[in-house]
Amino acid sequence: KLKRYILIEHQRHHIFIMKLTTSSICAFLLLASGVHAQGNEMVKMCLFYANESGHARSDPIINQQCASGHVHTFYGPQNFHPNTKYEDIRDTPAKYSSTPFVENQSLYWHPSIYRVTDDGSGTETFTRVNNLETSPYYRWDKSNGPETIAFPPGFRMIAHSNDAGATQGGETGENMLTECCDFDANGEEQCETWDRLHFPTRTCGFLGIAMSMPTCWNEVSLGDDNDHKSHMAYTTNGEVNGPCPSGFNKRVPQVQLFVRISNYQGGKYQLSDGASEWHVDFFNGWKEGKLQQLIDTCQPDRSHPAGDFNPECSCAEENLTKNTEVAGAVCDSEVRRLIIDEAIDVTTRLPSGSCEGDLIAKSWTQLTDSTIQCTMPPGTPIGGEEGEEGDEDGDAAEDGEEGMEGEAEDGDEEEDGDIEDGDEGWDAASGDEEEVGDTEEGDEDSDAASGDEEEDADAEEGDEDSDAASGDEEEDGDEEASDEEASGEEEDGDEASDEGASGEEEDGDEASGEEMDGDEEEDGDDEDAEDENESVGTARVSSVGSSGTQSCDLSCWGNFDACESGIVATCENYYQACKSECHEAEANGEIAEDELSTCLDEWCMDDKQICYDEAESRCRRRRRNCLRKC
């Protein structure tokens, strides 16, 4: 098959080279006559964080000596104690960070988001939203001065949605964007957007909140000796490559923090600071010299029109080291032990007041395995793992049941110290749902097994939810749920995981080989059809309540991570096989000797990239369909 493919590629590339030669001559003539083709000059780098690193009333930019005025949600290193310096985050081992790439240990944060419910007597309960993911998008455009440089060591900044210059540019004519997105029958996003912070009362497949930070720097302050804002300015027209105001002689990459709330429940929400404006904090933690290397070497996709705010993501995957030990979020019990002892997950009163409360002195200089004793698995909603400890007001947990109805994160999944039981629950749930995800590829045996295992999983999850619904959120209830999940689902979970792994391997082969033959579109159609056939079974999982939705969501993300983890090995194997076929084709006279390097360096590299792109698309499509069913 590969031999035939190489011959086809050989002919295709000959045609391509002829076209390229003609195009190059035309382009040269245009340039020689002073006519410049208009195209995109922006590079967009996407860094996807599957979960937070934690939540705390901390702000290492504003005040390193005492508690922040409100709770923040952090992404990146688990180093988010107020007493955190640049060197602390830069030198954070990747295993203690939620960053997807080792070289970037920057810390990003924003006000925590709370769902507000009322028990009918006028008492409000604030339940923190934890089913979050974020994508810091980096954009730079070197087509206009001043020069674009990397953030210097120690750099930090804060941006608010109502700052001067923040009300222009971006995707909607504003740097601020909120979108409520659902998925249609074809799995495509259908979104309603606002150019401000907005919490709709209706449900959404996901709610996205995005804001771009300023890009013009005054070259003087690192943001550590002023109001943390005045050393930066937005361009005069809001565009990434727009003119910088006078006195701002350097340009840094634009950081757009895009936060997503999966399965947004609607109702009433508010920020931890009670404000109607959104703000984002950025503390540079890039490995010194690495971001500048990316700025200097990454090229824009000029197939997009000039001024396109969203060209294809590029630059990161091929130039950065993937973090294979992504950390989960620090448990609230650990935040109470290491930073400040107060309830910030479910409470009837939001902690507030700058320097209010007793900050616990930082007890570590470098994070180790013994520093943080409870970390949730990546992608796991948190907030209720502390049981009765989670609310100092006593009755907040009871009041919070209404909030729990739609927020999966409020379920008591783990007691402080019960991490082993929690891990077993994660493995079992992931395995069961992985079975569902992998049947999308048409494994009949998996289909047969999936139905039975789904019923088992549903029954167990239903029992667990019954406990939660009846108010058994204390330690005993958690132990019962954990024991039941560990004993009842272990066998099914293992079986599902084994079969799921087999299905995943098959998918990887399809992504690397069959996509080349044009079967991808047909596979996609079959997959969508199977999704519809399975919707009845998976609907049972989501109908049992918040724990079912949570289990379904986590399984979708677990399957996505497993799918992505197989891409590198699959495509690398295909690449090596392609190179072997090039040498064999040259030895047999099927290609000329001087074409061997073209075969190795161009054809095989092109096809390796196609393998990556198509396999990534397949993984994302499966995740999208899975979440839509949840």
Side-chain angles (χ1 to χ4, degrees):
K1 182 176 178 181
L2 283 169
K3 285 180 180 179
R4 291 197 305 272
Y5 179 68
I6 285 176
L7 289 175
I8 294 170
E9 285 291 282
H10 174 55
Q11 296 172 355
R12 182 173 67 83
H13 278 276
H14 265 301
I15 295 171
F16 172 74
I17 289 168
M18 291 172 64
K19 291 181 177 178
L20 181 62
T21 302
T22 304
S23 299
S24 299
I25 293 171
C26 293
F28 175 78
L29 292 174
L30 284 172
L31 289 172
S33 63
V35 179
H36 296 274
Q38 295 296 311
N40 169 63
E41 290 295 328
M42 182 194 294
V43 175
K44 183 175 108 175
M45 181 170 67
C46 308
L47 311 176
F48 175 75
Y49 289 62
N51 55 264
E52 319 93 313
S53 54
H55 314 259
R57 197 155 59 90
S58 170
D59 192 322
I61 292 180
I62 295 289
N63 195 319
Q64 298 187 339
Q65 306 303 319
C66 58
S68 169
H70 52 273
V71 183
H72 285 112
T73 295
F74 294 85
Y75 307 88
Q78 293 174 335
N79 262 318
F80 51 80
H81 188 283
N83 184 15
T84 297
K85 302 184 296 295
Y86 160 67
E87 293 78 12
D88 296 332
I89 59 173
R90 180 199 61 192
D91 299 335
T92 300
K95 65 186 292 187
Y96 307 119
S97 176
S98 63
T99 180
F101 297 108
V102 174
E103 293 87 350
N104 179 26
Q105 295 301 334
S106 298
L107 198 57
Y108 313 84
W109 63 94
H110 59 76
S112 295
I113 303 169
Y114 285 83
R115 188 166 190 246
V116 186
T117 54
D118 191 320
D119 64 357
S121 66
T123 301
E124 289 185 326
T125 297
F126 301 89
T127 304
R128 194 184 63 228
V129 175
N130 303 304
N131 50 326
L132 297 167
E133 62 188 46
T134 189
S135 298
Y137 294 115
Y138 282 61
R139 293 178 175 88
W140 61 87
D141 187 324
K142 297 187 290 184
S143 65
N144 192 15
E147 175 188 13
T148 301
I149 63 171
F151 302 105
F155 180 91
R156 64 207 74 185
M157 64 174 162
I158 302 174
H160 287 72
S161 57
N162 60 347
D163 284 344
T167 57
Q168 55 184 345
E171 300 172 69
T172 62
E174 298 272 345
N175 270 323
M176 181 74 205
L177 166 73
T178 304
E179 61 179 6
C180 174
C181 299
D182 293 299
F183 300 99
D184 61 22
N186 298 319
E188 298 298 325
E189 292 179 6
Q190 301 295 328
C191 302
E192 181 181 4
T193 63
W194 298 265
D195 59 7
R196 65 188 188 282
L197 178 67
H198 179 65
F199 293 112
T201 55
R202 71 176 181 88
T203 61
C204 312
F206 72 82
L207 185 75
I209 303 171
M211 196 187 83
S212 300
M213 306 187 83
T215 60
C216 299
W217 179 44
N218 68 7
E219 278 191 284
V220 177
S221 173
L222 296 177
D224 57 351
D225 59 356
N226 58 3
D227 61 357
H228 320 295
K229 298 172 65 172
S230 58
H231 60 304
M232 296 295 295
Y234 286 95
T235 58
T236 58
N237 63 1
E239 303 295 333
V240 175
N241 70 337
C244 284
S246 176
F248 294 86
N249 301 320
K250 293 292 183 184
R251 194 190 301 271
V252 293
Q254 182 194 75
V255 176
Q256 181 193 43
L257 193 68
F258 200 119
V259 178
R260 298 173 185 84
I261 304 175
S262 301
N263 295 315
Y264 177 77
Q265 298 299 305
K268 180 181 178 181
Y269 289 77
Q270 79 165 55
L271 300 181
S272 57
D273 61 358
S276 59
E277 301 293 339
W278 182 250
H279 71 265
V280 174
D281 296 47
F282 168 73
F283 200 158
N284 174 40
W286 278 89
K287 178 181 177 182
E288 292 176 24
K290 190 61 182 181
L291 182 57
Q292 188 62 55
Q293 177 188 348
L294 299 180
I295 294 171
D296 292 341
T297 58
C298 292
Q299 298 299 312
D301 181 354
R302 294 185 174 89
S303 65
H304 286 258
D308 186 353
F309 188 72
N310 276 316
E312 297 299 322
C313 294
S314 62
C315 201
E317 293 285 348
E318 60 268 30
N319 294 290
L320 296 173
T321 306
K322 188 170 184 179
N323 184 6
T324 58
E325 301 180 280
V326 173
V330 177
C331 296
D332 286 305
S333 57
E334 290 298 277
V335 172
R336 300 184 71 157
R337 182 176 69 87
L338 296 170
I339 301 179
I340 186 169
D341 187 6
E342 61 186 11
I344 58 172
D345 52 351
V346 182
T347 179
T348 56
R349 182 180 62 84
L350 288 177
S352 62
S354 181
C355 290
E356 295 290 329
D358 297 325
L359 180 68
I360 301 170
K362 190 174 181 179
S363 59
W364 69 93
T365 54
Q366 180 66 273
L367 289 174
T368 66
D369 288 345
S370 62
T371 307
I372 297 173
Q373 299 170 10
C374 175
T375 300
M376 304 296 284
T380 306
I382 66 170
E385 80 281 349
E386 298 163 302
E388 71 275 10
E389 225 179 279
D391 187 353
E392 60 190 2
D393 298 307
D395 62 349
E398 181 178 351
D399 294 336
E401 285 181 22
E402 183 179 351
M404 276 174 38
E405 190 174 349
E407 296 293 332
E409 68 275 11
D410 301 332
D412 288 345
E413 292 178 12
E414 291 185 333
E415 279 295 303
D416 182 16
D418 289 344
I419 189 68
E420 292 181 5
D421 291 345
D423 286 342
E424 286 181 18
W426 162 259
D427 292 339
S430 178
D432 290 341
E433 196 59 31
E434 188 168 325
E435 185 73 23
V436 179
D438 287 329
T439 54
E440 293 172 13
E441 298 307 311
D443 189 330
E444 294 180 2
D445 294 335
S446 292
D447 284 340
S450 177
D452 297 336
E453 290 169 9
E454 276 182 49
E455 289 179 26
D456 293 341
D458 294 339
E460 289 156 3
E461 289 169 358
D463 292 340
E464 185 177 350
D465 276 60
S466 296
D467 293 339
S470 62
D472 294 334
E473 297 171 14
E474 305 297 319
E475 182 175 352
D476 293 341
D478 286 338
E479 288 177 357
E480 279 182 49
S482 295
D483 291 341
E484 179 180 356
E485 190 174 32
S487 61
E489 291 185 6
E490 185 172 359
E491 182 177 348
D492 291 344
D494 290 342
E495 182 180 348
S497 297
D498 292 340
E499 294 176 7
S502 173
E504 202 67 65
E505 187 174 348
E506 268 189 331
D507 297 343
D509 294 339
E510 288 180 8
S512 61
E514 293 182 6
E515 289 159 60
M516 304 303 179
D517 296 331
D519 294 339
E520 179 64 24
E521 185 174 348
E522 183 177 345
D523 289 344
D525 294 338
D526 293 342
E527 184 178 317
D528 290 339
E530 289 172 12
D531 287 342
E532 297 303 320
N533 293 335
E534 291 175 356
S535 62
V536 175
T538 55
R540 292 198 304 272
V541 177
S542 60
S543 68
V544 297
S546 61
S547 294
T549 304
Q550 172 182 332
S551 176
C552 184
D553 287 348
L554 294 182
S555 299
C556 292
W557 282 108
N559 295 340
F560 175 70
D561 291 340
C563 183
E564 282 210 319
S565 67
I567 292 176
V568 174
T570 300
C571 294
E572 186 61 33
N573 289 339
Y574 178 75
Y575 175 56
Q576 295 300 328
C578 181
K579 292 201 299 185
S580 297
E581 291 297 334
C582 286
H583 286 290
E584 184 177 340
E586 188 267 336
N588 294 336
E590 296 173 355
I591 61 174
E593 183 177 353
D594 60 355
E595 291 178 317
L596 177 60
S597 61
T598 301
C599 183
L600 294 171
D601 300 333
E602 295 182 18
W603 302 354
C604 288
M605 284 299 294
D606 287 349
D607 298 333
K608 180 182 178 182
Q609 187 59 49
I610 292 172
C611 175
Y612 272 103
D613 293 343
E614 296 298 335
E616 175 79 9
S617 176
R618 176 185 291 270
C619 291
R620 290 185 181 279
R621 185 173 65 252
R622 292 177 60 204
R623 179 189 68 182
R624 179 188 65 207
N625 290 335
C626 182
L627 289 172
R628 177 161 54 89
K629 290 185 293 183
C630 291

